[in-house]
Amino acid sequence: KYVKLKGCNDLPVVHYVVVLPFCFAAPLLTFLLVFVWMAFVMTSYTVQPDGTIVATPQAGFSWGYKSDLVFNWHPVLMSFGFLFCSSQAILVFVTKPFAHITNKLIHVACHSVSILSVTVGTIAIFRYHNEHGFHNLRSVHSWVGLTTLIAFGAQQLSFNASCDLTGTLHGANVSSYMASDCVLGSITAVSIALLFVALLLVVWVSKHPVEETIANSDIKIPFLK
């Protein structure tokens, strides 16, 4: 059997009863499990010389300097951005539950939240590594993740045909006209570029704390003790 929903193509009933709910529930469940793990369950175990195992709670979140809890932002934000937000951005164009422009706005919003989430998640792991003396980009996981982030951001920066329209639009002749969706896309692209700049700055500042930079320089600032 096939069903016809408003704005949707004809699809088998099983598509709406099984496939689409699974595509929504699976990423959401994965994100929630990671969140619960990092927020309430995360624990580190250390074996003492006498064989005693000491459990140290590591659950919770913090953005404080040299806090172990900074790490916990990384898996939560990456799973939220890559798994949940990106999947829903794709799903909205499969189900087409609303008018085309509404679906497009939801699609852009999901991708924008996704790129923001994974960028902050990447900043968190770089901060954690730098502040705890760990080397960055020393594993396959880190390089695959960084490559994915760059590729993910690059597709957001790409322009489409609506950025250069020449012809008759709404009865008026236009040349190299930039449509409203392209304006929004350009603003998003600039925002993403600024996020990458912020990422680089955070990495640099983490490796060169302001206090050490001032202490190692000949600059005297009276109001700094």
Side-chain angles (χ1 to χ4, degrees):
K1 293 183 178 180
Y2 289 78
V3 294
K4 179 72 173 179
L5 298 182
K6 183 179 180 181
C8 296
N9 296 323
D10 290 327
L11 292 172
V13 174
V14 67
H15 195 84
Y16 291 98
V17 176
V18 178
V19 178
L20 295 183
F22 176 80
C23 290
F24 174 79
L28 179 61
L29 179 61
T30 302
F31 162 67
L32 291 177
L33 287 174
V34 173
F35 176 79
V36 171
W37 181 20
M38 293 295 114
F40 306 107
V41 182
M42 184 69 171
T43 306
S44 66
Y45 298 90
T46 305
V47 180
Q48 302 298 316
D50 61 356
T52 303
I53 299 176
V54 178
T56 305
Q58 297 287 346
F61 302 97
S62 173
W63 202 254
Y65 181 65
K66 287 191 175 182
S67 172
D68 290 338
L69 302 184
V70 171
F71 170 84
N72 294 356
W73 287 109
H74 178 69
V76 170
L77 292 176
M78 301 308 271
S79 60
F80 177 72
F82 276 137
L83 292 180
F84 182 71
C85 292
S86 295
S87 64
Q88 302 317 299
I90 298 170
L91 196 62
V92 73
F93 272 150
V94 175
T95 58
K96 300 180 181 178
F98 308 107
H100 176 72
I101 184 61
T102 304
N103 294 332
K104 196 170 185 178
L105 289 175
I106 295 174
H107 178 80
V108 171
C110 287
H111 269 313
S112 299
V113 172
S114 177
I115 194 68
L116 175 63
S117 178
V118 298
T119 300
V120 176
T122 303
I123 291 173
I125 196 62
F126 271 91
R127 268 202 58 191
Y128 176 79
H129 283 172
N130 293 335
E131 293 174 359
H132 289 77
F134 300 135
H135 294 291
N136 291 304
L137 305 176
R138 296 291 295 273
S139 66
V140 174
H141 170 87
S142 60
W143 279 106
V144 171
L146 183 61
T147 302
T148 303
L149 177 60
I150 293 173
F152 194 75
Q155 61 89 23
Q156 287 272 16
L157 296 174
S158 61
F159 293 94
N160 55 48
S162 62
C163 291
D164 187 14
L165 297 175
T166 300
T168 303
L169 179 66
H170 303 310
N173 293 326
V174 296
S175 178
S176 298
Y177 176 80
M178 183 178 289
S180 57
D181 68 311
C182 186
V183 174
L184 178 61
S186 299
I187 294 173
T188 303
V190 172
S191 300
I192 293 171
L194 292 176
L195 284 174
F196 278 110
V197 172
L199 171 61
L200 294 175
L201 287 175
V202 168
V203 173
W204 189 90
V205 171
S206 296
K207 285 184 170 292
H208 306 83
V210 176
E211 295 84 355
E212 293 182 7
T213 302
I214 294 175
N216 295 332
S217 67
D218 295 329
I219 301 175
K220 304 298 181 181
I221 304 179
F223 55 83
L224 288 180
K225 295 182 180 180

